Amino acid sequence: MYGVKRILGIDGGYRGFYAKNTIPLNSKVVNDIHKRGGTILGTSRGGHDTTKIVDSIQDRGINQVYIIGGDGTQRGASVIFEEIRRRGLKVAVVGIPKTIDNDIPVIDKSFGFDTAVEEAQRAINAAHVEAESNENGIGFVKLMGRYSGFIAMYATLASRDVDCCLIPESPFYLEGEGGLLEFIEKRIKENGHMVIVLAEGAGQELMSKSMESNTDASGNKLLKDVGLWLSQSIKDYFKKINMVMNLKYIDPTYMIRAVPSNASDNVYCTLLAQSAVHGAMAGYTGYTSGLVNGRQTYIPYYRITEKQNNVVITDRMWARLLSSTNQPSFLGPKDIPEEKKEMPEKPTLDGENCDGVVDIPPVTKEITK
Ligand SMILES: Nc1ncnc2c1ncn2[C@@H]1O[C@H](COP(=O)(O)OP(=O)(O)O)[C@@H](O)[C@H]1O
Ligand SMILES: O=P(O)(O)OC[C@H]1O[C@](O)(COP(=O)(O)O)[C@@H](O)[C@@H]1O
């Protein structure tokens, strides 16, 4: 449509700009990538050397850069955009929001999230079958979600087989009255089985200080395996109270991330890509292409990078989850920040992303002509 002759793929994330050869892309090369999981370009953490990246863009004569990834990637794109602007280069920088975690703010959802939720159902179904088939069975599923529990929350709501969903945004405790272990014992006594879904970032603070972890190359906290730790704690508890229990632990995290995208994500990806290109061709730069309240928009980087999208546990969606699982909130009044105690009803479809959409500024014509 625009007569573009040369498209280069950057191999292996940000460091690929300066440490690797580019991968020529054409319609033949990308013809069936939507049917495969993963990425033909490769991915990595770390490696964001802004000067070298922008040098590489400049040296190669690149005039449009499309950067695909999660909230960290969008922050990286924003830094590149600033440097390009500082140097006065005529290069458009555009972000495409791709992450299964759905932790990018403002937009309705990121590309990959729907697929992850759908695939998580398989693991939850398996956990349910195993739990039902064993005496006092517990099916325990760990899902991704380092800081944001969206996959766990939506998979739980979709499945309706889950008795307890634990996410990073909602603190919980194990022992004593109102604690998780007491709840599990009660639910098992009532139903004879249960399913627990856990986002990997949940309950990290409960694990021993001796298991203190570092950060990955991107600066993300390296998580301790809360799934294994929690399943062992549950087993120890049932041993202590001398009650039979069969816990089956399922960790489908990388299997979920590796599947090809589903139909809904394929369509979404097409919209994101087309919209991103139209924006750059129209002369815009410094934005992430995304769906907001069902409409394709161009969102200036400063709105994307100012915060992370997290589950708001005082919002309606989490309330819906609590009523669906009938789990306790595990919260005392002290766990709810003052300003969250009286949240006004928000005028969106699902209670999420409200903060970002009410006053989205018009696209600033951050254009390098
Ligand atoms: N504040 C930042 N400034 C510059 N680059 C960043 C920043 N945060 C993240 N990046 C770059 O983006 C990459 C991807 O971020 P990461 O958090 O690993 O994944 P995701 O994009 O899925 O959130 C990082 O490896 C790093 O190169
Ligand atoms: O082990 P890796 O490759 O660093 O990835 C694990 C992390 O990936 C995430 O799913 C984010 O992945 P995406 O950005 O690809 O969606 C986190 O939830 C998880 O902690």
Side-chain angles (χ1 to χ4, degrees):
M1 177 177 183
Y2 291 109
V4 175
K5 295 280 180 303
R6 198 159 166 250
I7 303 173
L8 300 175
I10 301 300
D11 186 356
Y14 281 123
R15 70 167 60 86
F17 272 106
Y18 54 88
K20 293 196 173 182
N21 291 327
T22 54
I23 302 172
L25 296 177
N26 56 46
S27 46
K28 206 168 164 198
V29 174
V30 301
N31 187 35
D32 66 353
I33 55 174
H34 61 294
K35 294 177 191 157
R36 299 187 231 164
T39 158
I40 59 163
L41 293 178
T43 182
S44 68
R45 306 236 179 243
H48 194 287
D49 186 324
T50 313
T51 306
K52 285 189 187 171
I53 291 170
V54 179
D55 285 350
S56 158
I57 291 170
Q58 206 169 352
D59 293 347
R60 291 180 205 274
I62 294 170
N63 57 9
Q64 292 183 359
V65 188
Y66 296 91
I67 302 180
I68 306 166
D71 65 322
T73 303
Q74 303 305 318
R75 276 195 295 277
S78 153
V79 175
I80 291 171
F81 162 66
E82 291 301 340
E83 176 61 14
I84 281 175
R85 190 157 67 164
R86 195 189 64 77
R87 293 190 194 184
L89 304 177
K90 292 176 179 170
V91 178
V93 184
V94 181
I96 315 265
K98 183 283 327 165
T99 166
I100 63 168
D101 285 2
N102 198 34
D103 55 7
I104 301 175
V106 184
I107 57 175
D108 295 350
K109 63 176 180 181
S110 54
F111 166 64
F113 173 64
D114 263 1
T115 305
V117 171
E118 190 172 309
E119 192 61 17
Q121 303 300 294
R122 290 172 187 271
I124 294 174
N125 285 344
H128 189 229
V129 169
E130 286 292 329
E132 274 194 321
S133 310
N134 285 282
E135 185 185 357
N136 291 341
I138 297 181
F140 192 114
V141 181
K142 183 174 92 168
L143 298 175
M144 277 188 180
R146 200 194 295 273
Y147 306 112
S148 302
F150 286 106
I151 302 175
M153 178 169 79
Y154 275 79
T156 295
L157 278 163
S159 143
R160 303 222 157 231
D161 283 333
V162 179
D163 295 88
C164 185
C165 174
L166 302 167
I167 60 169
E169 296 89 337
S170 180
F172 62 94
Y173 54 97
L174 295 190
E175 313 276 350
E177 204 180 326
L180 178 66
L181 296 171
E182 185 200 65
F183 168 66
I184 294 172
E185 180 190 343
K186 189 164 154 272
R187 187 57 63 91
I188 288 283
K189 282 179 175 161
E190 279 164 9
N191 294 350
H193 68 275
M194 78 182 287
V195 175
I196 302 172
V197 164
L198 170 86
E200 60 181 341
Q204 289 287 319
E205 69 288 351
L206 299 177
M207 282 179 281
S208 125
K209 285 271 180 271
S210 62
M211 295 167 76
E212 211 59 71
S213 56
N214 298 316
T215 53
D216 69 14
S218 295
N220 298 310
K221 199 169 64 179
L222 274 176
L223 300 177
K224 297 163 261 181
D225 195 332
V226 66
L228 282 177
W229 175 81
L230 193 50
S231 0
Q232 192 54 51
S233 306
I234 296 169
K235 286 178 189 166
D236 292 346
Y237 176 75
F238 276 86
K239 202 168 170 191
K240 200 170 88 190
I241 61 171
N242 208 14
M243 187 173 156
V244 176
M245 184 276 294
N246 281 292
L247 186 146
K248 309 294 179 194
Y249 178 56
I250 301 178
D251 180 348
T253 47
Y254 290 104
M255 293 187 73
I256 288 172
R257 198 171 63 175
V259 294
S261 51
N262 66 11
S264 143
D265 265 331
N266 278 341
V267 174
Y268 185 33
C269 189
T270 303
L271 296 181
L272 285 175
Q274 290 180 351
S275 175
V277 171
H278 291 325
M281 288 297 181
Y284 290 99
T285 182
Y287 64 89
T288 294
S289 166
L291 206 61
V292 178
N293 279 345
R295 287 176 184 265
Q296 283 296 333
T297 60
Y298 301 141
I299 305 149
Y301 280 139
Y302 70 89
R303 294 304 309 271
I304 290 288
T305 55
E306 67 189 358
K307 62 177 185 171
Q308 195 175 46
N309 192 29
N310 297 109
V311 174
V312 178
I313 58 168
T314 47
D315 248 357
R316 279 172 284 166
M317 213 54 186
W318 186 245
R320 286 179 187 125
L321 180 136
L322 295 180
S323 103
S324 154
T325 59
N326 212 8
Q327 71 190 68
S329 74
F330 302 112
L331 285 177
K334 67 174 172 23
D335 293 312
I336 303 176
E338 270 314 308
E339 72 274 15
K340 294 279 180 193
K341 280 183 184 155
E342 281 183 36
M343 291 271 291
E345 285 279 290
K346 288 179 169 180
T348 61
L349 293 177
D350 64 359
E352 249 63 57
N353 298 329
C354 314
D355 296 344
V357 294
V358 285
D359 62 343
I360 292 171
V363 173
T364 50
K365 267 233 166 190
E366 297 280 16
I367 312 168
T368 50
K369 290 218 170 98

